[in-house]
Amino acid sequence: MPRTPLLRGAAAVTGSLALTASLTACGGSSPTGSADSKGAEKVVTVYSADGLKSEKGDGWYDRVFADFTKKTGIEVKYVEGGSGEMVQRAVRERTNTQADVLITLPPFIQQADGKGLLQSYVPQGADKVNGADKSTDGKWTSVVNNYFGFVYNKKELAEAPKTWEELLDARYKGKLQYSTPGVAGDGTAVLIKSMHDFGGKEPAMEYLKKLQANNVGPSSSTSKLAPKTDKGELLVANGDVQMNFAQSKSMPNLGIWFPAKEGGKSTTFALPYAAGLVDKAPHSENGKKLLDHLLGEEAQRLVSEVGGGFPARSDVKPTDANAVELTKLMTGVEIFEPDWADIDKNLTGYVDAWKSATGS
């Protein structure tokens, strides 16, 4: 499935966290991992934003990690949480680094780079990744492309809301929730999109202050909001296309939509899962092998079919049923490219403004 390139400004798409992190193993249960004939530990530890691993064991990570272990004998240790939490955890562990590979959503991958958490490594296949989706110095590259979005309950709502302003209606009181900006990547995306759609920080904060009257409250994990929406506990929540599309396969009431400002067009922006090799990684060579595997053609072909996302490699163009459905979902939605340098520099200020506006 062809991926729509990012544009500064808007262009129509015509084609193409929690602190309670879980530690799981793929390919074995040894807490330390096995060793090869030279005594090197055959294990790699991944810290990742949630969304690519399934509780049922049928997610993209589940498949590609199992394939990787079968191919290399290297066991994958996996720790999951919000993008911000994964970066914070890596910062706390700087004197005793535990992670080998860090995978987060923007702007947290840029934040990790800015904090010196990543070392340069250009995975095999990275030359096929569009320039906007990787760093120029080899510190990180996208492994799964994705877009920010919202979900709604299709059973309770005859059709998806269309505008931000509709969400201020009293029918959504106590039935709307979005994950916490500054903690969750998708929560931070709420700030980014609202500032874009409303034309700046101040009008966005004015809107989010009004929306707070309907908001259930903070959530460190975006992935937990979709099940609540599917059950009808919520009518609307934030999310992202890849994660919610995958969840919708087992959640029949879950629909995906993209808010517009009243009188405007539906918009979104790319929110890829970006991966980097951790500085002073205890199993650096194994981390490099895993990054190569994630960007390999076989793993990339599974992104839509298994993961419900968009391949990071521009030369991988899947035609499976999910790819076709995703193309239809994104058609007519305008894509804008955030100024990630500005967001990385001013993220703390934006989050503080949100806290002040909403009383969070």
Side-chain angles (χ1 to χ4, degrees), residues 181-254:
V183 175
D186 289 323
T188 305
V190 173
L191 290 187
I192 295 170
K193 179 170 157 57
S194 60
M195 286 192 293
H196 171 270
D197 288 359
F198 285 96
K201 183 180 75 172
E202 295 306 322
M205 297 309 155
E206 288 177 15
Y207 169 79
L208 292 172
K209 181 178 181 178
K210 295 175 184 177
L211 186 65
Q212 194 66 11
N214 288 345
N215 189 17
V216 171
S219 172
S220 59
S221 173
T222 311
S223 64
K224 294 180 180 179
L225 301 183
K228 293 181 179 180
T229 305
D230 179 64
K231 294 174 184 176
E233 295 175 24
L234 299 173
L235 292 178
V236 170
N238 70 315
D240 60 68
V241 173
Q242 176 278 323
M243 177 173 65
N244 297 144
F245 185 83
Q247 290 172 316
S248 70
K249 297 304 179 181
S250 60
M251 300 179 190
N253 298 321
L254 205 64

Side-chain angles (χ1 to χ4, degrees), residues 59-278:
W60 187 70
Y61 275 162
D62 301 285
R63 177 71 175 271
V64 297
F65 287 169
D67 289 347
F68 176 73
T69 298
K70 183 177 181 180
K71 177 182 177 182
T72 65
I74 298 171
E75 179 183 359
V76 180
K77 300 289 187 179
Y78 178 72
V79 179
E80 178 181 282
S83 288
E85 166 56 21
M86 291 296 93
V87 172
Q88 292 163 15
R89 180 165 178 163
V91 169
R92 292 195 301 267
E93 296 172 350
R94 293 185 88 146
T95 57
N96 183 27
T97 306
Q98 301 295 307
D100 301 301
V101 173
L102 178 66
I103 304 177
T104 73
L105 306 179
F108 295 100
I109 195 67
Q110 291 91 340
Q111 185 183 87
D113 187 12
K115 292 179 180 293
L117 294 176
L118 306 176
Q119 59 175 298
S120 292
Y121 177 67
V122 179
Q124 296 174 22
D127 60 316
K128 304 298 184 182
V129 176
N130 291 328
D133 299 332
K134 59 187 176 183
S135 65
T136 56
D137 57 2
K139 294 291 184 64
W140 57 268
T141 184
S142 299
V143 292
V144 171
N145 276 322
N146 191 18
Y147 296 93
F148 177 62
F150 275 67
V151 292
Y152 73 104
N153 183 292
K154 295 192 293 185
K155 183 178 180 181
E156 298 294 331
L157 299 176
E159 60 181 9
K162 292 182 174 59
T163 68
W164 289 102
E165 287 82 358
E166 284 182 56
L167 301 182
L168 299 177
D169 191 276
R171 73 182 301 185
Y172 295 104
K173 186 174 180 61
K175 291 287 189 175
L176 175 151
Q177 191 172 18
Y178 59 90
S179 51
T180 307
V183 175
D186 289 323
T188 305
V190 173
L191 290 187
I192 295 170
K193 179 170 157 57
S194 60
M195 286 192 293
H196 171 270
D197 288 359
F198 285 96
K201 183 180 75 172
E202 295 306 322
M205 297 309 155
E206 288 177 15
Y207 169 79
L208 292 172
K209 181 178 181 178
K210 295 175 184 177
L211 186 65
Q212 194 66 11
N214 288 345
N215 189 17
V216 171
S219 172
S220 59
S221 173
T222 311
S223 64
K224 294 180 180 179
L225 301 183
K228 293 181 179 180
T229 305
D230 179 64
K231 294 174 184 176
E233 295 175 24
L234 299 173
L235 292 178
V236 170
N238 70 315
D240 60 68
V241 173
Q242 176 278 323
M243 177 173 65
N244 297 144
F245 185 83
Q247 290 172 316
S248 70
K249 297 304 179 181
S250 60
M251 300 179 190
N253 298 321
L254 205 64
I256 300 173
W257 68 291
F258 306 92
K261 186 179 182 300
E262 201 165 65
K265 295 182 178 180
S266 296
T267 68
T268 189
F269 62 96
L271 205 59
Y273 291 88
L277 187 66
V278 177

Side-chain angles (χ1 to χ4, degrees), residues 17-18 20-22 46 48-53 78-82 86 223:
L17 317 250
T20 56
S22 59
V46 177
S48 177
D50 53 359
L52 291 173
K53 194 175 189 301
Y78 178 72
V79 179
E80 178 181 282
M86 291 296 93
S223 64

